[in-house]
Amino acid sequence: NVSRMPGKPFVPESPEGKQMVADLQLEQGAVGLLKWISTQSESGAALAKDLAKFPNLLSLIDTRLMEMPGEGRTWSSMNGRTQIDLNPALFWGDMNPQAVKVSLHELLHGLTKREIARPENASIKAELEDSRQRLAEQLPTNLRDLYNDAIRTKWLERYARDDSSANINQLGKTFADQEIVYGLLNSDEMISQNFSSEAFRNFARSKKGKDGQTFYNRFTNFVKSLFGLSAQGSTAFDEI
């Protein structure tokens, strides 16, 4: 989701930096990143265990630390693989909770974007888009106005290009509001926010579709369908 990739690869010079790189195991790609996530919390370990069931998908994702604007990004490289870039600033000091959140968000992008694009998943993609629009209609008036303005001005595309005209504060006055509006700007962001953002997750859990199902459960079941998991079976996706 990035058309221009400013930044440069992070090269550790200090012993602390070298240890951080060793701990992350990013030379193993998504598998290494999952291993690190699994050491950070019980929920991270449970989700990593579920995602580890898809080695073929994980093997197509490369990961690296990049000194760059923003915290993370996921994009498709020219060789057909998926690249996840993470800002090393995330992993210094007491930033681990945010580092886990951003890493998980980008990893879910890497896993789901490719699957959603597959022709055989066209119906799931259409249902996801319909649900996104229906949930956006349930935003409070002030956030719906900000959402509509972001869609009209192609805010997400500008933000992905690191365009200075797109500022996260344009999506809401509070961090929670920004997380919710951001997650509704397209289906890819919605899926990742559903699992990585508590604010978005709580909003999706508080709203129901015409069938009485919460949008959180609806999105979770869509993702499980993408990965061939039973909608009735309990997984870490259901317990986040």
Side-chain angles (χ1 to χ4, degrees):
N1 50 326
V2 179
S3 57
R4 290 183 293 151
M5 276 70 73
K8 62 180 182 179
F10 172 67
V11 179
E13 297 181 355
S14 68
E16 293 81 5
K18 293 177 181 179
Q19 185 61 54
M20 177 180 71
V21 170
D23 291 342
L24 289 172
Q25 305 179 68
L26 296 186
E27 73 281 356
Q28 297 181 34
V31 172
L33 186 58
L34 261 187
K35 288 179 180 178
W36 179 80
I37 290 173
S38 72
T39 66
Q40 301 304 302
S41 67
E42 290 185 7
S43 60
L47 190 56
K49 183 177 180 180
D50 273 349
L51 293 178
K53 298 173 184 176
F54 309 101
N56 291 339
L57 290 176
L58 293 170
S59 69
L60 298 174
I61 301 175
D62 300 315
T63 56
R64 63 182 178 180
L65 293 177
M66 286 285 288
E67 296 181 285
M68 62 183 189
E71 295 178 317
R73 63 191 180 201
T74 300
W75 51 282
S76 297
S77 58
M78 296 296 290
N79 61 6
R81 297 179 62 78
T82 298
Q83 178 69 52
I84 293 177
D85 295 337
L86 297 168
N87 194 319
L90 282 168
F91 301 94
W92 292 111
D94 297 324
M95 288 292 287
N96 273 10
Q98 182 68 2
V100 172
K101 175 183 173 181
V102 173
S103 298
L104 183 57
H105 181 97
E106 299 301 335
L107 185 56
L108 286 166
H109 269 318
L111 286 167
T112 58
K113 282 170 70 74
R114 184 183 296 270
E115 290 303 293
I116 289 175
R118 292 165 66 92
E120 57 266 39
N121 288 326
S123 62
I124 296 177
K125 180 179 180 179
E127 289 184 66
L128 271 170
E129 180 60 18
D130 179 70
S131 292
R132 181 189 69 80
Q133 294 182 17
R134 290 182 182 277
L135 182 56
E137 291 172 357
Q138 298 195 40
L139 285 167
T141 302
N142 64 317
L143 295 187
R144 190 163 63 250
D145 289 343
L146 294 174
Y147 163 83
N148 287 334
D149 189 58
I151 295 293
R152 179 181 59 81
T153 62
K154 300 185 183 299
W155 183 93
L156 188 60
E157 290 90 335
R158 290 184 289 119
Y159 187 72
R161 295 195 303 268
D162 195 37
D163 187 324
S164 60
S165 69
N167 187 292
I168 193 68
N169 293 325
Q170 294 166 336
L171 301 186
K173 293 183 178 180
T174 68
F175 179 72
D177 287 348
Q178 295 163 8
E179 292 269 283
I180 292 168
V181 175
Y182 182 85
L184 289 169
L185 294 181
N186 69 23
S187 295
D188 290 325
E189 298 298 346
M190 181 180 66
I191 289 175
S192 290
Q193 288 291 81
N194 197 54
F195 296 108
S196 62
S197 166
E198 183 177 3
F200 185 90
R201 194 159 55 243
N202 289 340
F203 177 69
R205 278 178 170 144
S206 73
K207 305 298 181 182
K208 294 182 179 180
K210 292 181 179 180
D211 60 358
Q213 185 180 34
T214 69
F215 280 93
Y216 170 78
N217 287 339
R218 184 183 295 239
F219 299 151
T220 299
N221 287 336
F222 283 147
V223 172
K224 290 165 71 174
S225 296
L226 281 176
F227 293 142
L229 300 172
S230 169
Q232 284 70 45
S234 178
T235 70
F237 289 110
D238 304 286
E239 298 166 9
I240 294 176

